Amino acid sequence: MSSISAGGKVVQLEVEGRERPGHGGIRRVTLIVPVYNEQDSITPFLEKLGGVLDDIHALALVDILFVNDGSRDATERLILAAAADRADISLINLSRNFGKEAALFAGLNHASGDAVIPLDVDLQDPPEVIAEMIRRWIAGAKVVNARRARRDGDSRFKAMSARAFYRVFNAMADQPIPQDVGDFRLLDRTVVDAVCRLGERSRFNKSLFSWVGFEAEEITFDRPARAAGETSWSYWKLWKLALDGIFAASTMPLRIWTYVGILMAMISLVYSAYLLATTLIFGVDVPGYASTVILILVFGGLNMFALGIIGEYVGRIYTEVRQRPLYIVRSHHPAPKAED
Ligand code: UDP
Ligand code: MG
Protein backbone atom coordinates (compact mmCIF):
# COMPACT_ATOMS: atom_id res chain seq x y z
CA MET A 1 0.00 0.00 0.00
CA SER A 2 1.33 3.41 -0.80
CA SER A 3 -0.12 6.83 -0.42
CA ILE A 4 0.61 10.23 -1.83
CA SER A 5 0.29 13.08 0.58
CA ALA A 6 0.12 16.82 0.22
CA GLY A 7 0.73 19.01 3.26
CA GLY A 8 0.54 16.01 5.56
CA LYS A 9 -2.79 14.85 4.16
CA VAL A 10 -3.40 11.64 2.35
CA VAL A 11 -4.92 12.63 -0.95
CA GLN A 12 -4.39 9.44 -2.85
CA LEU A 13 -4.43 5.92 -1.62
CA GLU A 14 -2.85 3.14 -3.62
CA VAL A 15 -3.73 -0.13 -2.00
CA GLU A 16 -2.83 -2.64 -4.66
CA GLY A 17 0.72 -2.97 -3.35
CA ARG A 18 0.70 -6.37 -1.78
CA GLU A 19 1.41 -9.70 -3.35
CA ARG A 20 -1.38 -12.15 -2.82
CA PRO A 21 -1.58 -14.89 -1.72
CA GLY A 22 1.38 -14.12 0.49
CA HIS A 23 1.68 -17.26 2.58
CA GLY A 24 3.41 -19.78 0.41
CA GLY A 25 0.59 -19.75 -2.12
CA ILE A 26 -2.12 -20.46 0.44
CA ARG A 27 -4.98 -18.01 0.72
CA ARG A 28 -5.97 -17.00 4.20
CA VAL A 29 -9.31 -15.68 5.33
CA THR A 30 -9.92 -14.15 8.75
CA LEU A 31 -13.41 -14.34 10.23
CA ILE A 32 -13.94 -11.33 12.48
CA VAL A 33 -16.45 -12.03 15.22
CA PRO A 34 -17.36 -9.19 17.60
CA VAL A 35 -18.90 -10.51 20.81
CA TYR A 36 -20.60 -8.77 23.68
CA ASN A 37 -22.01 -10.87 26.52
CA GLU A 38 -22.46 -13.90 24.28
CA GLN A 39 -21.67 -16.80 26.60
CA ASP A 40 -24.61 -18.82 25.26
CA SER A 41 -23.61 -18.38 21.63
CA ILE A 42 -19.88 -19.14 21.59
CA THR A 43 -20.14 -22.93 21.69
CA PRO A 44 -23.01 -23.30 19.17
CA PHE A 45 -21.17 -20.89 16.89
CA LEU A 46 -17.93 -22.87 16.97
CA GLU A 47 -19.81 -26.13 16.50
CA LYS A 48 -21.74 -24.85 13.51
CA LEU A 49 -18.61 -23.34 12.02
CA GLY A 50 -16.74 -26.61 12.60
CA GLY A 51 -19.33 -28.32 10.42
CA VAL A 52 -18.51 -26.18 7.40
CA LEU A 53 -14.78 -25.71 7.94
CA ASP A 54 -13.91 -28.80 5.91
CA ASP A 55 -15.68 -27.34 2.89
CA ILE A 56 -13.93 -24.04 3.40
CA HIS A 57 -10.48 -25.48 3.97
CA ALA A 58 -10.57 -26.94 0.49
CA LEU A 59 -10.57 -23.31 -0.69
CA ALA A 60 -8.58 -21.36 1.86
CA LEU A 61 -7.11 -21.41 5.35
CA VAL A 62 -9.46 -19.82 7.82
CA ASP A 63 -8.75 -18.29 11.20
CA ILE A 64 -11.23 -16.83 13.65
CA LEU A 65 -10.58 -13.53 15.35
CA PHE A 66 -12.92 -12.82 18.25
CA VAL A 67 -13.17 -9.24 19.42
CA ASN A 68 -14.54 -9.23 22.94
CA ASP A 69 -16.28 -5.90 23.26
CA GLY A 70 -16.13 -5.62 27.06
CA SER A 71 -18.28 -8.65 27.92
CA ARG A 72 -19.04 -9.09 31.59
CA ASP A 73 -20.07 -12.74 31.43
CA ALA A 74 -18.16 -15.94 30.65
CA THR A 75 -17.56 -14.99 27.01
CA GLU A 76 -13.81 -14.43 27.40
CA ARG A 77 -13.29 -17.61 29.41
CA LEU A 78 -15.19 -19.71 26.87
CA ILE A 79 -13.22 -18.32 23.94
CA LEU A 80 -9.89 -18.85 25.68
CA ALA A 81 -10.92 -22.39 26.58
CA ALA A 82 -11.80 -23.09 22.95
CA ALA A 83 -8.60 -21.43 21.75
CA ALA A 84 -6.43 -23.46 24.11
CA ASP A 85 -6.23 -26.48 21.83
CA ARG A 86 -6.60 -24.78 18.46
CA ALA A 87 -4.21 -22.69 16.48
CA ASP A 88 -6.86 -20.92 14.44
CA ILE A 89 -8.63 -18.90 17.15
CA SER A 90 -7.36 -15.58 18.43
CA LEU A 91 -8.94 -13.06 20.74
CA ILE A 92 -8.73 -9.33 21.28
CA ASN A 93 -10.21 -8.04 24.53
CA LEU A 94 -11.33 -4.43 24.47
CA SER A 95 -11.06 -2.59 27.78
CA ARG A 96 -14.80 -1.93 27.94
CA ASN A 97 -17.87 -2.04 25.73
CA PHE A 98 -17.18 0.29 22.82
CA GLY A 99 -20.03 -0.84 20.59
CA LYS A 100 -20.09 -3.15 17.60
CA GLU A 101 -18.79 -0.62 15.10
CA ALA A 102 -15.65 0.01 17.15
CA ALA A 103 -15.22 -3.71 17.85
CA LEU A 104 -15.43 -4.50 14.17
CA PHE A 105 -12.90 -1.79 13.38
CA ALA A 106 -10.53 -3.29 15.96
CA GLY A 107 -10.98 -6.61 14.21
CA LEU A 108 -10.26 -5.12 10.78
CA ASN A 109 -7.08 -3.55 12.15
CA HIS A 110 -5.84 -6.81 13.65
CA ALA A 111 -6.97 -9.30 11.00
CA SER A 112 -4.09 -10.77 9.03
CA GLY A 113 -5.99 -12.68 6.33
CA ASP A 114 -5.84 -11.96 2.60
CA ALA A 115 -9.56 -11.43 2.95
CA VAL A 116 -11.79 -10.90 5.95
CA ILE A 117 -15.40 -11.76 6.69
CA PRO A 118 -17.08 -10.05 9.65
CA LEU A 119 -19.89 -12.14 11.07
CA ASP A 120 -22.16 -12.21 14.11
CA VAL A 121 -21.70 -14.90 16.69
CA ASP A 122 -25.45 -15.56 17.01
CA LEU A 123 -25.56 -17.56 13.74
CA GLN A 124 -27.72 -14.94 12.08
CA ASP A 125 -24.97 -14.76 9.50
CA PRO A 126 -25.00 -18.46 8.53
CA PRO A 127 -21.50 -19.95 8.12
CA GLU A 128 -22.79 -22.10 5.25
CA VAL A 129 -22.56 -19.05 3.04
CA ILE A 130 -18.86 -18.49 3.67
CA ALA A 131 -17.64 -21.10 1.18
CA GLU A 132 -19.55 -19.45 -1.67
CA MET A 133 -18.17 -16.05 -0.69
CA ILE A 134 -14.64 -17.41 -0.79
CA ARG A 135 -15.29 -19.05 -4.16
CA ARG A 136 -16.38 -15.70 -5.60
CA TRP A 137 -13.33 -14.06 -4.10
CA ILE A 138 -10.99 -16.61 -5.61
CA ALA A 139 -12.71 -15.99 -8.94
CA GLY A 140 -11.69 -12.36 -8.63
CA ALA A 141 -14.28 -10.44 -6.63
CA LYS A 142 -12.88 -7.85 -4.23
CA VAL A 143 -16.09 -7.55 -2.25
CA VAL A 144 -18.81 -10.16 -1.86
CA ASN A 145 -21.93 -8.83 -0.17
CA ALA A 146 -24.38 -11.18 1.50
CA ARG A 147 -27.89 -9.86 1.15
CA ARG A 148 -30.64 -10.91 3.51
CA ALA A 149 -33.47 -12.30 1.46
CA ARG A 150 -35.66 -12.93 4.50
CA ARG A 151 -35.44 -11.64 8.02
CA ASP A 152 -37.03 -14.36 10.11
CA GLY A 153 -35.78 -13.17 13.43
CA ASP A 154 -36.79 -9.57 13.07
CA SER A 155 -40.07 -8.12 14.23
CA ARG A 156 -42.24 -6.36 11.68
CA PHE A 157 -41.32 -3.03 13.20
CA LYS A 158 -37.58 -3.73 13.00
CA ALA A 159 -37.80 -4.84 9.38
CA MET A 160 -39.85 -1.76 8.55
CA SER A 161 -37.57 0.67 10.33
CA ALA A 162 -34.55 -0.96 8.70
CA ARG A 163 -36.12 -0.48 5.29
CA ALA A 164 -36.93 3.14 6.09
CA PHE A 165 -33.36 3.69 7.23
CA TYR A 166 -31.85 2.37 4.00
CA ARG A 167 -34.19 4.58 2.00
CA VAL A 168 -33.39 7.76 3.93
CA PHE A 169 -29.68 6.98 4.04
CA ASN A 170 -29.45 6.36 0.32
CA ALA A 171 -31.40 9.50 -0.48
CA MET A 172 -28.88 11.58 1.44
CA ALA A 173 -25.49 9.87 1.29
CA ASP A 174 -23.02 10.53 -1.50
CA GLN A 175 -22.37 6.82 -1.84
CA PRO A 176 -25.39 4.55 -1.43
CA ILE A 177 -25.23 1.38 0.65
CA PRO A 178 -26.85 -1.81 -0.65
CA GLN A 179 -30.23 -2.57 0.90
CA ASP A 180 -30.34 -5.45 3.41
CA VAL A 181 -26.61 -6.08 3.38
CA GLY A 182 -25.21 -6.01 6.89
CA ASP A 183 -21.62 -6.28 7.96
CA PHE A 184 -21.61 -9.90 6.77
CA ARG A 185 -19.56 -9.70 3.60
CA LEU A 186 -16.18 -10.68 2.28
CA LEU A 187 -13.63 -7.93 1.89
CA ASP A 188 -10.37 -8.41 0.07
CA ARG A 189 -7.18 -7.20 1.76
CA THR A 190 -6.98 -4.21 -0.59
CA VAL A 191 -10.43 -3.10 0.56
CA VAL A 192 -9.64 -3.69 4.23
CA ASP A 193 -6.47 -1.62 3.93
CA ALA A 194 -8.41 1.19 2.30
CA VAL A 195 -11.10 1.13 5.01
CA CYS A 196 -8.50 1.09 7.78
CA ARG A 197 -6.74 4.08 6.30
CA LEU A 198 -9.82 6.24 6.68
CA GLY A 199 -8.93 8.03 9.89
CA GLU A 200 -12.28 9.41 10.91
CA ARG A 201 -13.58 8.84 14.42
CA SER A 202 -17.26 8.57 13.81
CA ARG A 203 -17.41 5.31 11.93
CA PHE A 204 -20.32 3.57 10.34
CA ASN A 205 -18.71 0.54 8.77
CA LYS A 206 -21.35 -0.27 6.17
CA SER A 207 -21.04 3.19 4.73
CA LEU A 208 -17.22 3.09 4.71
CA PHE A 209 -17.26 -0.30 3.01
CA SER A 210 -19.21 1.11 0.12
CA TRP A 211 -17.44 4.47 0.16
CA VAL A 212 -14.06 2.91 -0.67
CA GLY A 213 -15.58 1.49 -3.83
CA PHE A 214 -14.41 -1.68 -5.62
CA GLU A 215 -17.00 -3.61 -7.48
CA ALA A 216 -19.13 -5.85 -5.30
CA GLU A 217 -20.70 -9.16 -6.11
CA GLU A 218 -23.74 -10.27 -4.23
CA ILE A 219 -25.10 -13.52 -2.87
CA THR A 220 -28.35 -13.89 -0.97
CA PHE A 221 -29.25 -15.85 2.13
CA ASP A 222 -32.22 -16.25 4.44
CA ARG A 223 -31.47 -14.59 7.72
CA PRO A 224 -32.54 -16.89 10.56
CA ALA A 225 -33.56 -15.80 14.04
CA ARG A 226 -30.92 -15.47 16.72
CA ALA A 227 -29.71 -18.94 17.80
CA ALA A 228 -29.10 -18.15 21.48
CA GLY A 229 -28.91 -15.23 23.88
CA GLU A 230 -30.54 -11.88 23.31
CA THR A 231 -29.71 -8.93 21.14
CA SER A 232 -28.04 -6.11 23.00
CA TRP A 233 -29.27 -3.57 20.47
CA SER A 234 -32.12 -1.56 21.90
CA TYR A 235 -34.15 0.62 19.57
CA TRP A 236 -32.48 3.61 21.18
CA LYS A 237 -29.00 2.26 20.27
CA LEU A 238 -30.21 1.50 16.74
CA TRP A 239 -31.58 5.02 16.43
CA LYS A 240 -28.24 6.48 17.53
CA LEU A 241 -26.44 4.24 15.06
CA ALA A 242 -28.77 5.36 12.29
CA LEU A 243 -28.10 9.02 13.10
CA ASP A 244 -24.35 8.40 13.28
CA GLY A 245 -24.53 6.72 9.91
CA ILE A 246 -26.48 9.46 8.23
CA PHE A 247 -24.56 12.38 9.71
CA ALA A 248 -21.22 10.74 9.01
CA ALA A 249 -22.09 10.01 5.41
CA SER A 250 -23.83 13.23 4.45
CA THR A 251 -23.65 16.94 5.08
CA MET A 252 -27.08 17.33 3.55
CA PRO A 253 -28.90 17.88 6.89
CA LEU A 254 -26.66 20.94 7.41
CA ARG A 255 -26.87 22.36 3.96
CA ILE A 256 -30.51 21.82 3.21
CA TRP A 257 -31.39 24.96 5.18
CA THR A 258 -30.05 27.23 2.46
CA TYR A 259 -32.73 25.92 0.15
CA VAL A 260 -35.43 25.84 2.81
CA GLY A 261 -34.45 29.43 3.61
CA ILE A 262 -34.67 30.53 -0.01
CA LEU A 263 -38.03 28.82 -0.39
CA MET A 264 -39.35 30.40 2.82
CA ALA A 265 -38.05 33.82 1.80
CA MET A 266 -39.81 33.49 -1.55
CA ILE A 267 -43.10 32.37 -0.05
CA SER A 268 -42.96 35.12 2.53
CA LEU A 269 -42.21 37.67 -0.17
CA VAL A 270 -45.31 36.66 -2.10
CA TYR A 271 -47.45 36.58 1.02
CA SER A 272 -46.06 39.92 2.17
CA ALA A 273 -46.92 41.48 -1.19
CA TYR A 274 -50.44 40.08 -0.90
CA LEU A 275 -50.82 41.40 2.67
CA LEU A 276 -49.52 44.79 1.66
CA ALA A 277 -51.86 44.99 -1.29
CA THR A 278 -54.98 43.96 0.66
CA THR A 279 -54.10 46.36 3.45
CA LEU A 280 -53.61 49.23 1.00
CA ILE A 281 -56.78 48.44 -0.95
CA PHE A 282 -59.21 47.31 1.75
CA GLY A 283 -57.72 49.15 4.68
CA VAL A 284 -56.53 47.97 8.06
CA ASP A 285 -58.48 45.05 9.58
CA VAL A 286 -56.39 44.41 12.65
CA PRO A 287 -53.95 47.22 13.43
CA GLY A 288 -50.33 46.05 13.24
CA TYR A 289 -51.12 42.65 11.73
CA ALA A 290 -49.67 43.23 8.28
CA SER A 291 -46.46 44.86 9.44
CA THR A 292 -45.86 42.29 12.22
CA VAL A 293 -46.45 39.27 10.00
CA ILE A 294 -44.34 40.70 7.19
CA LEU A 295 -41.45 41.32 9.60
CA ILE A 296 -41.69 37.82 11.08
CA LEU A 297 -41.76 36.23 7.62
CA VAL A 298 -38.90 38.25 6.21
CA PHE A 299 -36.64 37.73 9.19
CA GLY A 300 -37.61 34.07 9.48
CA GLY A 301 -36.63 33.45 5.87
CA LEU A 302 -33.45 35.49 6.26
CA ASN A 303 -32.45 33.61 9.41
CA MET A 304 -32.89 30.26 7.78
CA PHE A 305 -30.96 31.33 4.73
CA ALA A 306 -28.11 32.59 6.94
CA LEU A 307 -28.11 29.27 8.84
CA GLY A 308 -27.86 27.48 5.52
CA ILE A 309 -24.80 29.54 4.59
CA ILE A 310 -23.18 28.65 7.91
CA GLY A 311 -24.19 25.05 7.24
CA GLU A 312 -22.34 25.15 3.92
CA TYR A 313 -19.15 26.16 5.70
CA VAL A 314 -19.59 23.72 8.58
CA GLY A 315 -20.22 20.96 6.03
CA ARG A 316 -17.00 21.84 4.28
CA ILE A 317 -15.06 21.94 7.55
CA TYR A 318 -16.43 18.49 8.31
CA THR A 319 -15.33 17.18 4.96
CA GLU A 320 -11.86 18.66 5.46
CA VAL A 321 -11.25 17.37 8.99
CA ARG A 322 -12.17 13.83 7.99
CA GLN A 323 -9.26 13.92 5.56
CA ARG A 324 -10.56 11.12 3.43
CA PRO A 325 -8.38 10.38 0.44
CA LEU A 326 -9.67 12.13 -2.65
CA TYR A 327 -9.64 8.90 -4.58
CA ILE A 328 -8.50 5.33 -4.25
CA VAL A 329 -6.55 3.60 -6.98
CA ARG A 330 -7.77 0.10 -7.76
CA SER A 331 -4.86 -0.87 -9.94
CA HIS A 332 -2.06 0.83 -11.80
CA HIS A 333 -0.66 -0.35 -15.11
CA PRO A 334 2.40 1.70 -16.00
CA ALA A 335 3.50 1.57 -19.61
CA PRO A 336 6.26 -1.02 -20.09
CA LYS A 337 9.70 0.55 -20.17
CA ALA A 338 11.00 0.91 -23.72
CA GLU A 339 13.99 -1.38 -24.20
CA ASP A 340 16.70 -0.50 -26.57
N1 UDP B 1 -21.96 -6.78 19.61
C1 UDP B 1 -20.79 -6.17 20.03
N2 UDP B 1 -20.87 -5.04 20.80
C2 UDP B 1 -22.07 -4.48 21.17
C3 UDP B 1 -23.26 -5.10 20.69
C4 UDP B 1 -23.17 -6.24 19.91
O1 UDP B 1 -19.70 -6.63 19.72
O2 UDP B 1 -22.06 -3.47 21.87
C5 UDP B 1 -21.88 -8.01 18.77
C6 UDP B 1 -22.75 -9.16 19.23
O3 UDP B 1 -22.09 -9.95 20.20
C7 UDP B 1 -23.00 -9.93 17.95
C8 UDP B 1 -23.00 -8.83 16.90
O4 UDP B 1 -22.36 -7.71 17.49
O5 UDP B 1 -21.98 -10.86 17.64
C9 UDP B 1 -24.42 -8.48 16.46
O6 UDP B 1 -25.20 -8.20 17.58
P1 UDP B 1 -26.73 -8.60 17.69
O7 UDP B 1 -26.92 -9.99 17.21
O8 UDP B 1 -27.15 -8.29 19.09
O9 UDP B 1 -27.38 -7.56 16.67
P2 UDP B 1 -28.54 -7.81 15.62
O10 UDP B 1 -28.32 -9.15 14.98
O11 UDP B 1 -29.79 -7.76 16.41
O12 UDP B 1 -28.39 -6.68 14.67
MG1 MG C 1 -27.91 -10.87 15.73
Side-chain angles (χ1 to χ4, degrees):
M1 178 167 63
S2 67
S3 52
I4 292 177
S5 52
K9 282 190 218 164
V10 178
V11 290
Q12 176 202 296
L13 200 55
E14 198 153 337
V15 283
E16 187 76 15
R18 178 168 156 178
E19 289 288 307
R20 187 171 57 79
H23 313 272
I26 302 164
R27 294 182 182 82
R28 282 188 37 206
V29 177
T30 302
L31 307 180
I32 302 177
V33 191
V35 284
Y36 176 51
N37 292 342
E38 298 279 9
Q39 58 182 8
D40 297 330
S41 303
I42 304 287
T43 315
F45 172 77
L46 288 172
E47 270 170 18
K48 187 79 181 275
L49 195 62
V52 297
L53 273 185
D54 281 345
D55 269 0
I56 299 172
H57 277 151
L59 304 162
L61 267 184
V62 172
D63 67 289
I64 307 160
L65 172 60
F66 284 103
V67 184
N68 176 16
D69 186 14
S71 301
R72 277 184 295 264
D73 61 359
T75 300
E76 176 183 355
R77 196 168 48 75
L78 283 166
I79 295 172
L80 287 177
D85 46 42
R86 297 175 58 160
D88 60 343
I89 296 182
S90 43
L91 169 68
I92 301 171
N93 278 313
L94 302 188
S95 61
R96 65 167 172 87
N97 180 245
F98 284 94
K100 188 190 171 186
E101 298 297 310
L104 181 50
F105 185 48
L108 290 172
N109 275 322
H110 286 84
S112 58
D114 304 306
V116 309
I117 302 177
L119 75 167
D120 291 0
V121 74
D122 58 7
L123 296 174
Q124 286 197 286
D125 300 332
E128 300 90 304
V129 184
I130 294 174
E132 180 57 21
M133 287 173 147
I134 296 178
R135 251 177 245 123
R136 301 281 188 106
W137 171 58
I138 292 172
K142 294 274 185 238
V143 178
V144 185
N145 290 335
R147 180 200 286 270
R148 301 159 184 172
R150 278 180 28 219
R151 296 167 156 256
D152 277 356
D154 292 346
S155 66
R156 240 227 187 82
F157 180 71
K158 180 151 184 199
M160 231 168 61
S161 51
R163 212 168 311 130
F165 168 74
Y166 283 107
R167 200 163 304 144
V168 173
F169 184 95
N170 285 340
M172 305 226 283
D174 310 326
Q175 188 59 36
I177 55 177
Q179 179 114 21
D180 287 328
V181 178
D183 295 321
F184 188 35
R185 56 182 89 196
L186 181 143
L187 304 167
D188 184 82
R189 170 55 48 192
T190 49
V191 183
V192 176
D193 285 347
V195 168
C196 289
R197 283 298 296 272
L198 304 180
E200 59 207 77
R201 310 278 131 176
S202 141
R203 299 181 80 89
F204 181 56
N205 288 302
K206 281 196 269 278
S207 146
L208 301 183
F209 293 158
S210 49
W211 188 84
V212 296
F214 298 97
E215 218 166 294
E217 290 194 15
E218 194 171 87
I219 55 180
T220 52
F221 70 100
D222 290 336
R223 189 168 210 237
R226 204 175 219 284
E230 254 169 49
T231 179
S232 48
W233 288 96
S234 57
Y235 276 110
W236 176 241
K237 266 169 100 179
L238 280 174
W239 169 249
K240 283 198 299 189
L241 180 69
L243 289 190
D244 270 357
I246 289 171
F247 289 133
S250 168
T251 49
M252 205 212 278
L254 265 177
R255 306 164 86 166
I256 197 161
W257 299 105
T258 319
Y259 304 101
V260 177
I262 291 173
L263 195 75
M264 287 287 287
M266 264 159 30
I267 293 172
S268 55
L269 211 68
V270 173
Y271 186 59
S272 303
Y274 165 79
L275 267 186
L276 199 68
T278 48
T279 312
L280 286 178
I281 297 166
F282 303 113
V284 177
D285 252 354
V286 182
Y289 175 76
S291 53
T292 311
V293 167
I294 289 173
L295 280 176
I296 291 175
L297 287 176
V298 168
F299 280 104
L302 219 64
N303 260 330
M304 224 175 255
F305 181 65
L307 267 181
I309 301 277
I310 293 173
E312 283 292 330
Y313 282 102
V314 176
R316 275 153 223 263
I317 294 169
Y318 181 59
T319 310
E320 290 297 328
V321 294
R322 273 196 310 201
Q323 299 206 357
R324 285 192 183 175
L326 296 185
Y327 55 85
I328 296 171
V329 175
R330 179 166 58 82
S331 66
H332 185 187
H333 308 273
K337 284 203 182 78
E339 283 178 36
D340 46 348

